[in-house]
Amino acid sequence: MNPGLEARKCLKNKLYSISMNDLMDKVVSLAKRRGFIYPSSEIYGGISGFWDYGPLGVELKNNIKREWWRSMVYQRDDVVGLDAAIVMNPKVWEVSGHTAAFTDPLVECRVCHKRFRADKVPGVVHIKNSKTDYWKVSGGTNCPSGGHLLDVGDVNFQPRKFNLLMEAKVGVIEEEKRNVFLRGEITQGVFVNFQNVVNSSRVKIPFGIAQIGKAFRNEITPGNLTYRSREFEQMELEFFIKPDEKEGKKWFDYWKQQRMEWYLGFGMDKKKLRFREHTPDERAHYARFAEDIEFEAPFGWSEFEGIHHRGDWDLSRHNLTYRDEESGESYTPWVIETSGGVDRSTLFFLLNAYSVVGDRMVLKLHPKLAPIKVAVFPLVRNKEEIVKKAREVYLYLKSLSLSCVWDDRGNIGKKYYAQDEIGTPWCVTVDYDTLDNETVTVRDRDSAKQERVAIEKLVLYIEEKLGKKQEIAKRDC
Ligand code: GAP
């Protein structure tokens, strides 16, 4: 044994921890450099709170949505899907309470005149009881826009309520244009279609309607990359149950656990997730009870997904009821909601996966979420038979709809590093031996170990690793 070599190997596989401050900077830079997330319309200076997803970002985001849909719809027989329009009759938002109550408290700094959400400025506290309702700034509080003091001593002030709904105009002739809202939550599209779904499908309570789609909010302080955006995507389940306290508690607890397990199943670090119950004054106007799944981001513990007990708030406001065909009983169902953010998931999966192993930066995304599943390389680019064979392997994998890339530049080590950085789980190299025995080298992202695999068994090898076989076996049982 060579002790020097062993020590070097050991350092090569050492997992280095990254400080929280560094982590955010590194992920922001990776996101731009490798094509995950770009500022929207950047060539014109961008626009605050709007983001574009690049070639890798769109794959990661689509994989998250696909896996969510698979677990919430395909793998259950009590949930159906829906895709409602973004623009609805404005009456929906009046009846749902959003035009009156979908607000954030807005405060203005007297020094720099920048505006912030009062509930998000450290040192600003909400004093609310039966007699008073105001926000208090403690002496020494810094303005989030810079280092200056937000106010001197203890000063009370009343913030302005700011409605988050984004407006748009619909129509051709200027004078006849109608003011509408871009939906502030995707949820209302489900409620206004409740009767349609009950009448046109065979659902029976308890059942759920799942939906993924864009929502828009005039956020006061968008920031932390996509964490708080003005245009974002939600993935939500509205689960309809009998109006009964015991049922409410049972399903609320059930969905809480399901959603937590889903994130853990995709490799989220258990230590970085927690539940947090909403205090009564932070609950949304529709919620009887609410808990968030939070993620420990570099900018602190942050809301990831909300589990809400909406009671009969929405269906009763829309005047909708359900008739149980067996008992003949009619009632207004209660709703348990799971509401996750696709953009927050994309960001948090990136933050969770970012790691440094020895001298490699590795994005340890779950293989099912990884934007690219396989990269194919010829060992050398100047040997025609090797390039031809590698190209055949690549095109074969592509023909099976596996997301793969081709790379014939640079040396093999650099090619591995470039794939590690974007989270590609497997790299396949075609070399001289391939020409003799129809086998390739498969290198694993996390362990950096290499295995020889027959080309004819390559797809099976990848699918087994992706867990597809287990899924099929589980389903057939
Ligand atoms: N239908 C309930 C609802 O919309 P919410 O807590 O306001 O509840 C649910 O939002 C989820 O939507 C959040 O947990 C978050 O993941 C995502 N979300 C909300 N506002 C967002 C924003 N401004 N930017 C990105 N994601 C956001």
Side-chain angles (χ1 to χ4, degrees):
M1 190 176 90
N2 176 341
L5 187 68
E6 284 306 308
R8 275 207 301 281
K9 256 196 207 160
C10 193
L11 277 179
K12 237 183 145 181
N13 292 322
K14 187 168 176 318
L15 190 65
Y16 289 95
S17 62
I18 309 157
S19 81
M20 281 291 213
N21 276 346
D22 272 6
L23 177 61
M24 193 64 193
D25 290 347
K26 286 193 182 317
V27 167
V28 169
S29 141
L30 176 84
K32 176 86 196 295
R33 189 165 42 82
R34 296 303 309 267
F36 283 93
I37 302 167
Y38 312 126
S40 162
S41 47
E42 197 184 8
I43 57 166
Y44 294 107
I47 171 164
S48 175
F50 295 87
W51 298 92
D52 297 338
Y53 287 82
L56 296 182
V58 68
E59 295 296 336
L60 173 56
K61 203 171 166 214
N62 281 345
N63 291 342
I64 292 170
K65 290 193 276 184
R66 190 178 309 114
E67 291 304 329
W68 184 89
W69 196 265
R70 200 199 301 276
S71 85
M72 300 300 260
V73 182
Y74 296 158
Q75 291 179 341
R76 307 187 60 95
D77 56 14
D78 54 359
V79 175
V80 292
L82 184 89
D83 184 15
I86 288 174
V87 173
M88 289 183 270
N89 188 312
K91 193 107 192 11
V92 172
W93 301 105
E94 216 181 279
V95 174
S96 69
H98 282 77
T99 46
F102 195 45
T103 55
D104 276 338
L106 175 87
V107 288
E108 188 173 312
C109 170
R110 290 175 197 164
V111 182
C112 67
H113 299 290
K114 289 225 164 95
R115 288 163 178 184
F116 306 100
R117 256 178 78 170
D119 56 335
K120 295 290 171 202
V121 184
V124 175
V125 275
H126 194 185
I127 312 290
K128 190 178 174 190
N129 55 43
S130 55
K131 294 199 185 98
T132 49
D133 182 359
Y134 62 90
W135 295 75
K136 187 169 124 172
V137 186
S138 304
T141 299
N142 282 323
C143 173
S145 73
H148 56 273
L149 286 183
L150 192 59
D151 220 328
V152 188
D154 284 348
V155 177
N156 306 336
F157 64 100
Q158 195 72 46
R160 271 203 301 143
K161 291 268 185 179
F162 178 81
N163 196 287
L164 297 171
L165 286 176
M166 209 180 266
E167 288 170 51
K169 283 182 186 270
V170 173
V172 186
I173 301 164
E174 198 52 47
E175 307 78 66
E176 289 176 13
K177 277 188 182 162
R178 188 175 184 191
N179 286 334
V180 293
F181 296 109
L182 302 183
R183 62 185 176 191
E185 58 167 4
I186 61 169
T187 332
Q188 294 304 320
V190 169
F191 297 134
V192 296
N193 278 294
F194 175 77
Q195 211 69 70
N196 282 336
V197 174
V198 169
N199 293 344
S200 59
S201 62
R202 290 164 54 201
V203 290
K204 288 204 170 37
I205 276 179
F207 76 91
I209 302 180
Q211 186 178 209
I212 299 178
K214 293 263 189 179
F216 301 79
R217 292 183 191 174
N218 263 324
E219 292 286 356
I220 297 166
T221 40
N224 290 321
L225 201 63
T226 54
Y227 176 74
R228 195 173 303 290
S229 307
R230 288 180 168 144
E231 172 181 340
F232 55 96
E233 225 169 337
Q234 294 184 307
M235 38 192 193
E236 290 194 336
L237 171 76
E238 307 304 322
F239 198 75
F240 301 93
I241 59 169
K242 280 192 168 173
D244 173 88
E245 294 295 344
K246 257 195 182 162
E247 282 283 290
K249 176 153 180 20
K250 181 181 91 181
W251 286 108
F252 187 86
D253 291 344
Y254 171 83
W255 282 111
K256 250 178 69 180
Q257 293 314 325
Q258 287 288 309
R259 296 305 303 139
M260 179 63 97
E261 277 166 31
W262 190 82
Y263 288 114
L264 295 175
F266 282 98
M268 274 286 169
D269 182 348
K270 205 172 179 172
K271 295 192 289 300
K272 291 197 166 167
L273 293 185
R274 71 174 188 195
F275 286 114
R276 191 185 65 82
E277 197 178 315
H278 282 204
T279 56
D281 71 319
E282 70 176 310
R283 257 180 239 152
H285 61 278
Y286 50 73
R288 284 166 63 109
F289 194 72
E291 269 188 59
D292 286 339
I293 295 178
E294 290 190 330
F295 175 76
E296 192 184 17
F299 41 91
W301 283 97
S302 311
E303 178 187 340
F304 199 164
E305 166 154 351
I307 323 292
H308 309 131
H309 187 328
R310 294 178 79 119
D312 67 357
W313 170 270
D314 305 273
L315 291 188
S316 64
R317 304 232 355 163
H318 292 302
N319 220 354
L320 295 163
T321 53
Y322 172 83
R323 185 168 182 279
D324 186 319
E325 277 172 15
E326 272 170 37
S327 68
E329 185 195 0
S330 283
Y331 56 84
T332 308
W334 282 1
V335 175
I336 305 297
E337 168 185 73
T338 70
S339 177
V342 180
D343 309 80
R344 279 190 194 174
S345 288
T346 307
L347 174 62
F348 290 166
F349 275 117
L350 283 174
L351 287 164
N352 182 69
Y354 193 101
S355 32
V356 177
V357 185
D359 56 354
R360 301 188 289 143
M361 189 254 114
V362 187
L363 199 58
K364 293 195 169 186
L365 286 170
H366 188 288
K368 283 187 182 164
L369 301 185
I372 308 288
K373 305 288 182 254
V374 188
V376 181
F377 319 137
L379 181 69
V380 287
R381 55 192 297 199
N382 55 2
K383 178 104 179 138
E384 202 183 315
E385 297 100 297
I386 289 186
V387 176
K388 188 164 168 257
K389 191 79 200 166
R391 201 76 204 153
E392 271 173 27
V393 172
Y394 167 68
L395 291 176
Y396 170 57
L397 294 177
K398 255 185 116 59
S399 74
L400 301 171
S401 301
L402 259 181
S403 69
C404 22
V405 289
W406 167 261
D407 191 358
D408 61 358
R409 304 154 310 154
N411 69 36
I412 204 85
K414 278 196 183 146
K415 285 193 275 210
Y416 284 155
Y417 281 25
Q419 293 304 320
D420 288 344
E421 203 181 39
I422 59 167
T424 306
W426 302 288
C427 291
V428 168
T429 306
V430 171
D431 54 22
Y432 291 95
D433 288 347
T434 314
L435 303 179
D436 292 337
N437 59 16
E438 288 282 316
T439 64
V440 290
T441 300
V442 182
R443 183 258 197 187
D444 180 88
R445 175 195 70 197
D446 297 340
S447 66
K449 290 208 170 105
Q450 302 187 8
E451 265 183 83
R452 220 51 216 180
V453 178
I455 293 175
E456 62 173 12
K457 297 213 169 122
L458 193 54
V459 173
L460 196 67
Y461 175 92
I462 292 163
E463 292 212 328
E464 259 182 14
K465 296 252 175 194
L466 267 175
K468 285 214 173 141
K469 266 193 94 174
Q470 288 96 307
E471 253 173 43
I472 292 164
K474 225 162 97 185
R475 198 187 56 210
D476 288 347
C477 277

